[in-house]
Amino acid sequence: MAATSFGPTPTIPAIIKFSSEYDEYCGDESRSRGTAESLSFPRTEDEVRAIVRSLSSARTPITVQGARTGLAAGAVPQGGHVLNLSHMNRPLGLREEDGRFYLRVQPGLVLSELRKHLAAKAFPTEGWDEASLTAAQRLAEAPEQMFPTDPTETSACLGGMAACNASGARSFRYGAMRGHVTALRLVLANGDVVALRRDEVRARGRHLMLKTEGGSTIEADLPTYQMPHAKNASGYFVEDDMDALDLIIGSDGTLGIITELELALMPAPAVVWAASCFFATEDQAVEATIAARADLKHAAALEYFDPAALDVLRRARAQGSAFAALPLLPERFGCCLYVELQAPVEDEAMADLERLGAIVRAAGGSERDSWVARTAVDRETLRFFRHAVPESVNMLIDERRREEPSITKLGSDMSVPDDRLRDVISLYRSTLAKEGLESAAWGHIGNNHLHVNVLPRNAEEYARGKALFARWAKDVTAMGGAVSAEHGVGKLKRDFLTTMYGSEHVREMARLKLAFDPACQLGRGNLFDAALLDEVRREGAAVPEGADAADAGPDAADAGPDASGAGPDAAAVGADASGAGLDAAAVGPDATPVSLAAAPADALAKAMNTGEVA
């Protein structure tokens, strides 16, 4: 990946004083709200570095945003500065190695745009080097390529997907985002850069040492907990002798700012078929799932929709909304198992389809109660059916919020090992019945990962739903599962980390964060409560070699802006001698000074709605 020297800072791009005009950047899809004093929209890594350097001496909190599609409030600011990377949305280059293609992208490129470029076998190549242009010509002549990670929200940006280790329906076959990233560049809170490529930097046991491009060393002990044998996006990924790249993926924006990713592409499957298999009971669908994941050779996705989810669809269709085009769901359709097959040739797909028919019969269902899609048009109908479920639930909650604005949908994101699927479903059903709470469940049953959505009707049910989620976190942990399987932890689920790992292991995570970000500027509130980080710092947490523990910023002789005017020098950083704000020259077109003092640690907790949404 192209190197960037850790030298003089270029001119700082506009840092904009926050106003109501930018109110949308106070929240994300979690429907949580925060506050900020300023924001920026950099277009290059150098601009990112210039911005964070200018904020470093004041220890200004920095919240990184992309498309703001996250569901755990990771992009919701807790005071300070919003660094929005949505304008960093270009493909940067391509290489071919041993018949595989590897694409370099900026973090703000959204998944739907990437898919369009791959389908067209063409990318905007302005600024690409000769080797990349040659690889692009080879890609145009090769079979169509794909990037397999597929969260439901295709407007998600790739940097955000890496930050929470996103996955989606096809994770049953392809796993999560982590396995498809081969390199990245990470800007630290002081403006220095770490460049990582897979298999080049590994921990020794649980000790990690990284060199920055500025010549500094980051040295840290990794947490000692063991990762669960289940789909997992809960905090830092750690294991003995691990690849350093894997630590950054899924770190929720707490260690640094991803400014570039290299993605491993793969040939798109020649045959993609799908089947929606309907059953009378949930037990039948679970039996079919367990058999399907063992017997189907080409299953890419195994998805589930419970009886309540189908009832929500029936209501939405009857109301004559945009969902009137949904296929009619007979009352005998109690629940649904959706299976996607990807195969190299039709004969192999047909063999799996025949196996699926036998599985349905053995579980007590009927092949007559199945929809099979073998064309693009038919697959789009089934895709519409799948995506209509969460959209219909959101519409239902929006109706209820008109009467009770304090409520939101509460959505779980927990997973368990394969042998605990029946147990976790039994847990959900028994506790929901005991509490008398309305719910609807759907999701990635092939990975034992269901999004159970509690649909409260009032504030009292909302509170009981949140308490129930806390109980589920304990019980799922006891089963060897994960409290977050694909949405990350962000701010909404950080208390669940203590449930899952224990308080001492969370403190180990905090020490690791402080090795990368001594002033705790990045991702304020994500994974950790500010008070915990302050406590761990006081206990003598590790500080990277070359960083000043007092201010965590680069000194003027090395990483800071020089006196030539490339950026604001130390005397011109802020309106007062403390450096807590930016001067008018660096603020932006309105030339209004910006106060960048850190917000109180509990500001977000008071301001945001902490309902979890899936």
Side-chain angles (χ1 to χ4, degrees):
M1 305 181 89
T4 301
S5 64
F6 192 56
T9 307
T11 302
I12 299 177
I15 293 180
I16 306 165
K17 182 178 180 179
F18 218 94
S19 67
S20 59
E21 178 183 357
Y22 303 102
D23 187 61
E24 63 185 292
Y25 299 102
C26 287
D28 62 12
E29 282 300 309
S30 70
R31 291 172 169 78
S32 303
R33 304 293 299 170
T35 61
E37 283 78 55
S38 65
L39 76 162
S40 60
F41 298 92
R43 294 181 179 273
T44 67
E45 179 184 284
D46 281 344
E47 291 185 355
V48 171
R49 293 172 58 228
I51 292 166
V52 299
R53 285 178 178 179
S54 72
L55 303 176
S56 179
S57 63
R59 302 182 182 180
T60 303
I62 300 172
T63 299
V64 182
Q65 292 181 347
R68 294 176 294 111
T69 60
L71 299 173
V76 177
Q78 188 170 346
H81 183 78
V82 169
L83 188 74
N84 187 287
L85 304 183
S86 60
H87 291 183
M88 293 179 66
N89 57 3
R90 295 188 300 114
L92 297 174
L94 185 71
R95 67 182 178 93
E96 182 185 14
E97 182 178 330
D98 298 328
R100 290 200 68 180
F101 293 96
Y102 300 86
L103 179 70
R104 287 191 301 119
V105 300
Q106 290 184 306
L109 182 65
V110 300
L111 180 61
S112 59
E113 288 299 308
L114 172 63
R115 288 178 173 175
K116 289 177 184 177
H117 294 319
L118 292 173
K121 297 187 179 183
F123 292 90
T125 58
E126 181 180 357
W128 284 24
D129 59 23
E130 286 299 320
S132 292
L133 294 173
T134 300
Q137 182 59 42
R138 292 276 298 157
L139 181 139
E141 299 165 354
E144 181 181 335
Q145 302 291 301
M146 74 169 186
F147 182 67
T149 309
D150 70 325
T152 300
E153 184 49 76
T154 61
S155 65
C157 69
L158 294 161
M161 290 167 58
C164 71
N165 192 35
S167 51
R170 292 174 181 165
S171 61
F172 176 73
R173 178 166 181 173
Y174 298 109
M177 180 85 169
R178 180 175 286 113
H180 306 285
V181 177
T182 52
L184 60 76
R185 292 179 61 80
L186 188 77
V187 172
L188 303 176
N190 63 3
D192 205 346
V193 177
V194 173
L196 295 173
R197 181 170 293 283
R198 190 163 295 284
D199 297 325
E200 289 188 354
V201 181
R202 305 192 76 88
R204 293 187 177 183
R206 292 290 174 108
H207 188 76
L208 180 65
M209 184 180 296
L210 295 175
K211 289 289 187 181
T212 73
E213 290 186 347
S216 297
T217 299
I218 298 173
E219 191 166 357
D221 291 323
L222 301 174
T224 57
Y225 52 74
Q226 299 299 312
M227 304 297 289
H229 296 292
K231 187 177 178 181
N232 183 29
S234 309
Y236 298 141
F237 178 92
V238 292
E239 61 184 10
D240 293 347
D241 306 317
M242 68 177 289
D243 195 308
L245 185 68
D246 290 332
L247 172 66
I248 308 305
I249 301 165
S251 59
D252 259 330
T254 60
L255 302 180
I257 302 159
I258 296 172
T259 53
E260 187 174 316
L261 292 162
E262 184 182 76
L263 309 175
L265 307 179
M266 62 178 60
V271 180
V272 180
W273 291 355
S276 290
C277 307
F278 294 92
F279 296 89
T281 70
E282 187 165 71
D283 286 343
Q284 292 173 339
V286 171
E287 291 302 317
T289 297
I290 294 170
R293 63 188 179 194
D295 295 345
L296 299 183
K297 297 180 179 180
H298 301 292
L302 296 172
E303 300 286 285
Y304 177 63
F305 305 92
D306 80 347
L310 297 192
D311 284 342
V312 169
L313 281 183
R314 290 184 179 102
R315 288 198 296 270
R317 185 180 187 277
Q319 289 171 356
S321 64
F323 302 115
L326 284 168
L328 180 66
L329 294 170
E331 290 300 322
R332 70 177 184 277
F333 287 6
C335 53
C336 176
L337 174 64
Y338 172 89
V339 181
E340 182 175 295
L341 303 174
Q342 296 184 358
V345 295
E346 287 197 358
D347 286 350
E348 293 190 28
M350 182 58 73
D352 252 10
L353 195 61
E354 291 172 354
R355 292 187 193 98
L356 179 58
I359 288 168
V360 169
R361 291 193 301 273
S366 170
E367 292 169 288
R368 294 190 303 273
D369 291 339
S370 298
W371 301 338
V372 178
R374 292 190 287 180
T375 68
V377 173
D378 289 342
R379 286 197 304 274
E380 179 61 25
T381 299
L382 295 195
R383 188 205 66 82
F384 178 48
F385 170 81
R386 290 169 57 213
H387 290 191
V389 175
E391 291 179 24
S392 297
V393 167
N394 287 340
M395 289 171 58
L396 176 64
I397 290 295
D398 286 343
E399 290 177 11
R400 293 180 179 179
R401 287 184 59 143
R402 295 188 187 102
E403 299 294 328
E404 185 68 68
S406 66
I407 67 171
T408 69
K409 177 185 69 174
L410 294 165
S412 74
D413 182 37
M414 302 178 191
S415 64
V416 295
D418 282 353
D419 62 350
R420 305 306 296 266
L421 176 59
R422 293 187 183 91
D423 295 332
V424 78
I425 290 179
S426 177
L427 168 70
Y428 294 148
R429 295 306 172 207
S430 62
T431 53
L432 285 165
K434 183 177 180 180
E435 292 293 334
L437 293 170
E438 183 181 0
S439 69
W442 61 84
H444 319 305
I445 196 169
N447 295 116
N448 318 294
H449 170 210
L450 295 183
H451 298 303
V452 183
N453 290 259
V454 172
L455 311 177
R457 287 165 285 228
N458 52 54
E460 187 269 338
E461 287 190 353
Y462 178 74
R464 285 196 288 123
K466 290 186 69 175
L468 184 57
F469 275 35
R471 172 184 170 176
W472 288 350
K474 293 179 182 178
D475 291 340
V476 163
T477 296
M479 294 180 193
V483 295
S484 175
E486 67 179 357
H487 295 160
V489 172
K491 299 172 179 68
L492 298 188
K493 291 181 279 188
R494 67 188 182 203
D495 290 346
F496 290 172
L497 286 183
T498 302
T499 300
M500 180 172 168
Y501 294 126
S503 59
E504 183 49 44
H505 287 316
V506 173
R507 296 175 80 86
E508 291 177 335
M509 293 173 62
R511 295 184 193 108
L512 175 59
K513 174 187 169 54
L514 287 163
F516 282 78
D517 179 22
C520 301
Q521 288 178 262
L522 300 176
R524 179 71 64 90
N526 289 353
L527 302 187
F528 310 104
D529 181 85
L532 171 65
L533 291 174
D534 288 342
E535 182 179 332
V536 172
R537 288 181 69 191
R538 289 195 298 269
E539 292 172 355
V543 176
E545 180 182 322
D548 185 339
D551 67 8
D555 62 37
D558 179 17
D562 64 11
S564 66
D569 61 23
V573 167
D576 58 34
S578 69
L582 294 175
D583 66 10
V587 171
D590 60 4
T592 303
V594 179
S595 172
L596 292 174
D602 64 347
L604 184 65
K606 293 178 180 178
M608 70 190 290
N609 178 343
T610 56
E612 181 182 352
V613 181

